[in-house]
Amino acid sequence: MKTVGIALGGGAVLGAAHVGVLKAIEETNLEISHITGTSIGAFVGAFYAFGLKSADIEKIALNLGWFDLTKIALSKYSLLTNKKLGELIIEHLGDKNIEDSIIPLAIITTNIINGKKVVLTKGSLAKAVMASTCIPGIFKPIEMDDMMLVDGGIVENVPIDTLREIGAKYTIGVDLNAKSEHGKPGNILDVIVNSFHFIIKQAVTLQTQSADVLIKPNLSEFNMSDMSQVEELMEKGYADAKASLNKLI
């Protein structure tokens, strides 16, 4: 059995496609040896690293709505808080530390004070996932030591380099934004989220050049904030991953 590491990229609600990708991997002769995750990729990756299979994560995802993940928390830094997302991690996995994962896990965040990448491999899992999914201007930054941590997509949205740094020999990257054309935004959340991911899209092209396999599901028909699309996103991620994975089988 060939062992590979997987880097799960950011993409807001499009991250449901990661569940389908993991399902496709489970049907191959591949074993995941390391996981890195940015933003929604950190959220999905955390569940998988602690032993849940794609079917388990699918059940969790299908029962989620925006109000299960966030709530209004007006402050000088944000409109909302994603504290509920951290509580969801604790509800399903317990109050774990990253270093306790079954599969080695690294979570990518950005220190908004100086713009530097912060890779979390130890400490509170829930807090790390909250930090990595903290879209600037929407969610309240997570304070840790002397840092203010926000979405890792600013510095490494598909964390292939970090995946190699933590020990993966072969790498699979999952880029949710490569083929995304989102159309007219429906609300202010769409405007902010789309803008954020369009800005980082060009950098991702450079970040993913060294991946052994790069899965780029075509998610152009989907909206980045509509939770009603979760089931279809998982199906699309699964279908598009099957062909790409033939390169490693």
Side-chain angles (χ1 to χ4, degrees), residues 106-162:
I107 292 174
I108 314 304
T109 69
T110 305
N111 185 356
I112 201 62
I113 295 174
N114 56 21
K116 292 184 178 180
K117 179 170 73 173
V118 178
V119 179
L120 301 176
T121 57
K122 295 182 180 180
S124 169
L125 176 68
K127 198 169 183 180
V129 170
M130 287 172 60
S132 189
T133 56
C134 183
I135 299 173
I138 295 181
F139 296 128
K140 184 179 179 181
I142 302 301
E143 296 190 32
M144 192 178 296
D145 298 326
D146 294 325
M147 302 178 293
M148 291 182 68
L149 302 180
V150 298
D151 199 302
I154 297 171
V155 287
E156 194 180 21
N157 199 46
V158 183
I160 296 293
D161 286 347
T162 301

Side-chain angles (χ1 to χ4, degrees), residues 185-197:
N187 52 54
I188 186 173
L189 184 61
D190 286 346
V191 171
I192 296 174
V193 172
N194 286 6
S195 298
F196 178 71
H197 285 97

